Amino acid sequence: MNEKLIRKIEQLKERRNAVILAHNYQPGEIQDLADFTGDSLGLSIKASQTDADTIVFCGVLFMAETAAILSPDKTVLLPEINAGCPMADMITADQLRQLKQEHPEALVVCYVNSSAEVKAESDYCCTSANAVEVVRSLPEDKQVLFVPDQHLGQFVAEKTGRDITLWPGYCTSHVFITTDDIQAAKAKYPEAIVMAHPECTEPVKALADELLSTSQMLKLAAQGVARQFIIATETGIIHSLKKQNPDLEFIPASHRAICPNMKKITLDKVIASLEEMQYEITLPEAISTRAKKALDRMVEILPTK
Ligand code: 13P
Ligand code: SF4
């Protein structure tokens, strides 16, 4: 059944001169059919470099918006228009404007998990892969406002020692991972390396060996540093980890760490997306031009890991 759908997607892709990009948290079958899977930074770079006419973005709204801003001449499609990111919705452009008024001298760094309007109000954008490097690149005397993820922001503050004002946003899926989960997994797999995403809470991160973006997790697993890994992030990444390292063992820290929005994309919706050219993501030029400045800075600053 899936094979038939996949063949259909291949035909439609050719007809539309389309490329399929999928985030590491997508359902396994979507990751398997994508031309490129990756973390938010890798996907943004791919979106800015592709020569396809159409980008089908299998992810959530802020990712498709980012692709549309970075590739203004392409058609960017999100197969499910209701695939949003609750964290991105935790700050509005009005709230950020208010925060900027309260700290007029500060620089604003926004996590890519934010709306295009929020990016347009920001000086720099970053992903979990390069947030530390982005903040390190800023003049040392400048105060930093970091939105919307308090946990990634806290991680950056600790790594850089910078004066960072945090916004109280968080990922509704990563907060399901608890210290009890990590301790139980460590007791069962004492030799395992714990890889956690910086979106996890601070007590969870304190128990981890490595704090990494999803693609950085894939890179470390491939380096042969251990046989077993406890994975403290959204469980979708386990699909690629297993596929790329069939001899290694990957233990999800919590089976509850699932992002329902990432799982809204299905093969049928990818077909409908290419057939109907839906749902096209477009933005007002005034927003897009300003947001692009912050995003261009993000894709220029590469992570050191
Ligand atoms: P990365 O894949 O960039 O680590 O992002 C995690 C995430 O939450 C995306 O929504
Ligand atoms: Fe947003 Fe968290 Fe889902 Fe990523 S995993 S899209 S941060 S809710």
Side-chain angles (χ1 to χ4, degrees), residues 23 25 39-40 62-63 111 113 128 197 199 213-214 262:
H23 187 265
Y25 296 157
D39 64 2
S40 304
F62 76 80
M63 296 181 171
Y111 191 19
N113 299 35
S128 62
H197 197 278
E199 287 177 19
S213 81
T214 54
M262 284 283 180

Side-chain angles (χ1 to χ4, degrees), residues 23 25 60 62-63 84-88 111 113 170-174 199 234 258-262:
H23 187 265
Y25 296 157
V60 293
F62 76 80
M63 296 181 171
C85 168
M87 181 206 282
Y111 191 19
N113 299 35
Y170 61 92
C171 167
T172 46
S173 304
H174 280 84
E199 287 177 19
E234 210 275 350
I258 291 174
C259 175
N261 283 284
M262 284 283 180

Side-chain angles (χ1 to χ4, degrees), residues 171-185:
C171 167
T172 46
S173 304
H174 280 84
V175 292
F176 276 125
I177 305 170
T178 65
T179 51
D180 282 354
D181 292 328
I182 307 288
Q183 271 151 354

Side-chain angles (χ1 to χ4, degrees), residues 140-304:
E140 273 181 24
D141 58 327
K142 282 283 187 187
Q143 189 201 352
V144 175
L145 308 180
F146 192 96
V147 300
D149 186 12
Q150 60 182 297
H151 300 300
L152 177 63
Q154 183 61 40
F155 164 70
V156 175
E158 279 163 27
K159 282 275 177 193
T160 60
R162 297 288 300 257
D163 171 15
I164 299 186
T165 299
L166 303 173
W167 186 258
Y170 61 92
C171 167
T172 46
S173 304
H174 280 84
V175 292
F176 276 125
I177 305 170
T178 65
T179 51
D180 282 354
D181 292 328
I182 307 288
Q183 271 151 354
K186 275 180 144 188
K188 203 164 165 197
Y189 302 93
E191 303 296 318
I193 286 185
V194 181
M195 299 200 278
H197 197 278
E199 287 177 19
C200 290
T201 64
E202 280 57 58
V204 164
K205 285 188 289 204
L207 296 174
D209 298 302
E210 298 284 346
L211 299 175
L212 302 165
S213 81
T214 54
S215 289
Q216 288 170 336
M217 289 182 189
L218 283 156
K219 207 165 148 190
L220 183 69
Q223 286 168 6
V225 289
R227 313 279 330 143
Q228 293 174 324
F229 295 87
I230 295 161
I231 307 300
T233 190
E234 210 275 350
T235 56
I237 183 75
I238 307 258
H239 178 80
S240 285
L241 283 166
K242 279 189 179 152
K243 196 167 143 187
Q244 294 179 20
N245 309 278
D247 300 335
L248 305 182
E249 202 178 344
F250 300 99
I251 302 106
S254 167
H255 288 283
R256 297 177 72 210
I258 291 174
C259 175
N261 283 284
M262 284 283 180
K263 309 304 187 222
K264 285 180 180 167
I265 311 288
T266 62
L267 294 175
D268 284 324
K269 288 181 189 172
V270 174
I271 291 177
S273 169
L274 281 162
E275 272 176 342
E276 310 296 332
M277 294 300 276
Q278 68 190 27
Y279 296 91
E280 189 176 345
I281 304 302
T282 54
L283 292 155
E285 210 183 313
I287 298 284
S288 178
T289 312
R290 290 172 66 210
K292 192 168 185 301
K293 286 191 188 138
L295 280 168
D296 283 342
R297 290 169 171 163
M298 174 185 91
V299 291
E300 275 163 20
I301 301 178
L302 295 176
T304 45

Side-chain angles (χ1 to χ4, degrees), residues 50 73 77 98 181:
T50 179
D73 303 333
L77 305 174
Q98 174 68 36
D181 292 328

